Amino acid sequence: MLYNGYEMQRTLLAGASNWANMSAQMLKNPANIFGYMAGGPIMASALEVFAHASAPRGKPPFGLDEVEYEGEQLNVAEEIILQKPFGQLKKFSHAGSEGKPKLLIVAPMSGHFATLLRGTVERMIPEHEVYITDWRDARNVPLSEGSFDLDDYIDYLIEFLEHIGPGAHMLAVCQPSVPCFAAAAIMSADKHKCRPRTLTMMGGPIDTREAPTAVNTMATQRPHSWFEQNVIATVPMQYAGAGRKVYPGFLQLAGFMSMNLGGHLNSHWEMFKHLVDGDGESADTTKEFYDEYRAICDMTAEFYLQTVDLVFQTHALPRGEMTHRGRIVDLSAIKDIALLAIEGERDDISGLGQTKAALMLTPNLPEKHKKYYMAENVGHYGIFNGSKWRAHIAPVVEEWILAHESAATRKRAKVAKVDPKNSAAPHLEDLPEGSDFA
């Protein structure tokens, strides 16, 4: 009933949005004399804000056909190189990307599409061969494809890294920090040749006991059964995944918006004032943000409930109790994957210390293979998008990757002298001077 009720409301609002948009355009038409009256621009602006706020949204495109780098335009090719039922692996490349560090960006499966990281991808394209996990909306996955939980998520990451090949680097944004950290430990324990050279975790809930936020509080105040009974819904018949149990994206969006409702209302008020003043460029900036922010997707019930349980309620990973396919995830197995933990000083979703905890949970990884960076005056979304990401945070990630890429290249050259037939990309043993724990 919950999902059906939402669909009915969405259909009604879609009609209202079309009506409001049409009315706004009529009022803004230069041939319409009513648009020049005192209340004309105000009414047109109000209708435009309502039309935008109530319009239905699907999956946005990445739209990264070109990126600017050092004053030049790079033509970018986007391709799907591996397809799985619940996600696919996308690659972004350009004429000069061959031979550059391979970077797997792991997008959150948390109610938004991977395009939420468009700015992250765009910034890293010029100096990297970029890959990204493009998760699928669970409501569009037929029941015949089976289930998808945290174990499956980790399996997908390992398979993606295998497909990319040895020597890749991995960057996890927010929620996937936990499965990425687990995958790194599993691959390390197995001495997997495709384990990443570096793992960068940005605003991730590695140990939510550190500086709990409103998200953590909500997850711990209620028993596991409450989430099963109140936030899980069944996909309606009009979708390919009809009958699948999911945590709907619209509930995730409602939760995040309610956490900062005043800020969202103020953003729309500012958009309204920009439209009244004729400042369409400023209004479009706000529209573009919410076009992406309100593009939502569902996640499978089993993945969501397992995440609530293991990450937020029992803290299984930092306590050494998390398992994958019945096997303990041993973080002490990580010995040569360099870790970079990045946090935002004003992050209200993953509090300060939650990501940094990863550096304390790897006792067999030398301190010089660890780095911590706190971005001052940066909130959760500012860690991976916006001007501070581009100017201050991305360079830290690039330098970390390049330092380890250089060290691995030197080791590869040394190995080649001993055994010319050895073509496997080796792992880092020693870092350059000056790259120790910050």
Side-chain angles (χ1 to χ4, degrees):
M1 292 298 295
L2 176 67
Y3 214 129
N4 288 322
Y6 165 74
E7 285 295 314
M8 183 180 296
Q9 179 198 49
R10 189 174 71 91
T11 302
L12 291 172
L13 284 176
S17 174
N18 288 332
W19 173 85
N21 185 59
M22 180 177 64
S23 300
Q25 297 307 313
M26 289 177 60
L27 282 171
K28 291 166 63 176
N29 192 316
N32 186 354
I33 59 173
F34 294 104
Y36 296 97
M37 295 183 177
I42 295 176
M43 179 62 72
S45 299
L47 287 168
E48 190 170 343
V49 170
F50 173 80
H52 183 266
S54 56
R57 289 169 174 80
K59 180 181 179 180
F62 275 96
L64 295 175
D65 299 325
E66 289 186 343
V67 297
E68 185 175 344
Y69 181 62
E70 295 183 346
E72 297 183 4
Q73 294 295 325
L74 301 177
N75 294 320
V76 179
E78 175 186 333
E79 59 179 324
I80 299 169
I81 62 172
L82 179 62
Q83 284 186 307
K84 303 272 295 173
F86 290 89
Q88 57 193 13
L89 182 63
K90 278 195 172 184
K91 179 182 179 181
F92 295 87
S93 57
H94 57 89
S97 63
E98 186 175 354
K100 291 186 180 295
K102 294 178 288 186
L103 175 63
L104 172 61
I105 298 176
V106 183
M109 182 182 280
S110 57
H112 288 104
F113 293 100
T115 49
L116 189 67
L117 304 189
R118 183 185 293 104
T120 316
V121 174
E122 182 178 15
R123 176 61 178 79
M124 303 306 285
I125 281 177
E127 291 298 332
H128 302 84
E129 190 174 271
V130 176
Y131 302 81
I132 191 168
T133 58
D134 189 18
W135 303 114
R136 193 175 177 190
D137 191 336
R139 73 183 182 186
N140 294 324
V141 183
L143 278 173
S144 59
E145 296 291 354
S147 61
F148 184 88
D149 60 12
L150 195 51
D151 286 344
D152 296 304
Y153 193 117
I154 293 171
D155 289 338
Y156 270 45
L157 294 179
I158 294 173
E159 186 173 348
F160 288 159
L161 286 168
E162 289 173 340
H163 195 83
I164 295 171
H169 303 262
M170 188 156 59
L171 187 157
V173 178
C174 189
Q175 167 262 326
S177 294
V178 171
C180 285
F181 201 21
I186 293 165
M187 297 178 81
S188 293
D190 293 340
K191 300 189 184 304
H192 200 302
K193 67 177 182 179
C194 294
R195 63 192 186 276
R197 285 180 180 160
T198 68
L199 170 58
T200 298
M201 292 167 283
M202 304 172 64
I206 298 298
D207 190 347
T208 57
R209 294 171 297 183
E210 301 286 339
T213 63
V215 174
N216 311 142
T217 302
M218 184 187 74
T220 55
Q221 282 183 337
R222 298 173 175 87
H224 190 78
S225 58
W226 184 92
F227 292 94
E228 289 183 291
Q229 297 168 8
N230 291 278
V231 303
I232 301 302
T234 303
V235 177
M237 294 303 295
Q238 63 263 39
Y239 295 104
R244 181 178 294 282
K245 296 291 185 181
V246 297
Y247 175 46
F250 63 83
L251 284 183
Q252 176 87 343
L253 179 63
F256 277 134
M257 293 196 73
S258 65
M259 287 171 55
N260 188 25
L261 185 58
H264 292 298
L265 291 174
N266 186 63
S267 294
H268 284 81
W269 172 245
E270 291 298 321
M271 179 170 69
F272 167 72
K273 291 194 293 184
H274 289 316
L275 289 170
V276 172
D277 293 340
D279 186 0
E281 185 174 348
S282 296
D284 287 342
T285 300
T286 305
K287 286 183 179 180
E288 289 171 6
F289 170 78
Y290 282 103
D291 282 341
E292 189 68 60
Y293 190 72
R294 289 203 292 257
I296 54 176
C297 59
D298 301 345
M299 67 184 87
T300 63
E302 56 272 17
F303 172 78
Y304 171 74
L305 292 173
Q306 197 176 15
T307 300
V308 170
D309 179 24
L310 298 180
V311 177
F312 295 101
Q313 294 190 338
T314 63
H315 317 288
L317 184 62
R319 292 174 62 183
E321 298 173 356
M322 183 175 177
T323 61
H324 173 259
R325 305 294 180 197
R327 172 187 177 189
I328 287 288
V329 176
D330 183 11
L331 297 176
S332 67
I334 298 178
K335 300 177 181 178
D336 59 2
I337 299 176
L339 302 179
L340 169 60
I342 296 177
E343 298 180 325
E345 183 182 21
R346 300 171 62 184
D347 193 332
D348 58 352
I349 293 178
S350 294
L352 279 178
Q354 293 188 10
T355 312
K356 185 179 182 180
L359 306 181
M360 318 302 171
L361 295 170
T362 47
N364 293 328
L365 182 67
E367 291 297 298
K368 63 179 182 179
H369 293 185
K370 304 175 184 180
K371 185 178 179 67
Y372 174 68
Y373 178 77
M374 186 195 73
E376 296 181 357
N377 298 315
V378 173
H380 187 72
Y381 293 97
I383 298 174
F384 58 87
N385 211 346
S387 59
K388 291 181 179 177
W389 150 251
R390 292 191 297 270
H392 303 293
I393 302 171
V396 174
V397 179
E398 288 179 319
E399 290 171 8
W400 189 244
I401 290 174
L402 185 60
H404 293 78
E405 189 75 10
S406 300
T409 301
R410 287 199 299 273
K411 184 181 176 184
R412 181 162 56 244
K414 183 178 179 180
V415 171
K417 290 181 180 179
V418 177
D419 182 5
K421 295 180 181 179
N422 190 337
S423 59
H427 250 262
L428 173 67
E429 296 296 340
D430 296 299
L431 292 180
E433 292 295 327
S435 60
D436 54 354
F437 188 9

